[in-house]
Amino acid sequence: MQAIMSSGTGGATESPAGYPDKIILVYDGDSSVTAMLFDIVKKTMGREDCALCAITYGPFGKREAWRQCEVRIGVKVDALHRDQLPNSWTLSRADLPCVLGQVGDAVPTILVSKGEIEASGGRAESLTARIMDALAARGVS
């Protein structure tokens, strides 16, 4: 039996069982308004503490290059900050940032590690390729 996954474009496609139906970007930052304001200031000064945030967001919102990549990934993409992580996921601060894959309500697994995000060189296309490779390894190209 095949699972149904939502695509990044709002439709639904069929995928093999066990294939992530959701990608979760986990930022190494907090979700408070104060933290977000500090992040805007840091970005305008050219300083970034989270490699994933540097790829996906600029000082004025989501980067267009990342928007296009989300569509190409073809799986729903959500985001969480470190203070929003459920304890049951057992991710440590050393794991962050990372990209997780989740099947249904199961505990997600790391698709792209902190080191792989950093090795993307701040490029959305490189991160997307790493995500696509990780998804392909799970059964869908």
Side-chain angles (χ1 to χ4, degrees):
M1 178 156 116
Q2 292 189 332
I4 300 294
M5 72 176 190
S6 65
S7 71
T9 58
T13 57
E14 291 187 11
S15 67
Y19 184 79
D21 54 1
K22 183 179 2 177
I23 301 293
I24 305 167
L25 308 177
V26 182
Y27 296 106
D28 187 18
D30 291 330
S31 63
S32 71
V33 173
T34 303
M36 288 183 202
L37 290 173
F38 279 124
D39 191 49
I40 291 169
V41 170
K42 287 187 280 187
K43 284 180 184 301
T44 57
M45 294 171 47
R47 189 174 143 239
E48 183 61 67
D49 296 332
C50 174
L52 182 58
C53 192
I55 293 170
T56 59
Y57 279 88
F60 305 109
K62 194 178 285 188
R63 295 183 187 279
E64 184 57 32
W66 178 249
R67 285 183 201 279
Q68 293 172 8
C69 290
E70 282 184 324
V71 172
R72 283 200 316 270
I73 291 170
V75 175
K76 181 180 179 185
V77 178
D78 284 341
L80 291 174
H81 293 85
R82 67 178 170 232
D83 63 325
Q84 298 170 315
L85 289 171
N87 289 333
S88 63
W89 290 6
T90 64
L91 289 170
S92 74
R93 177 95 187 256
D95 294 324
L96 305 180
C98 63
V99 178
L100 306 176
Q102 186 174 33
V103 179
D105 293 329
V107 173
T109 59
I110 294 176
L111 291 177
V112 181
S113 70
K114 175 181 182 173
E116 292 171 308
I117 291 169
E118 291 169 351
S120 295
R123 296 185 334 272
E125 298 78 16
S126 179
L127 176 59
T128 301
R130 291 171 192 280
I131 293 170
M132 298 298 283
D133 288 348
L135 291 173
R138 283 160 175 77
V140 174
S141 58

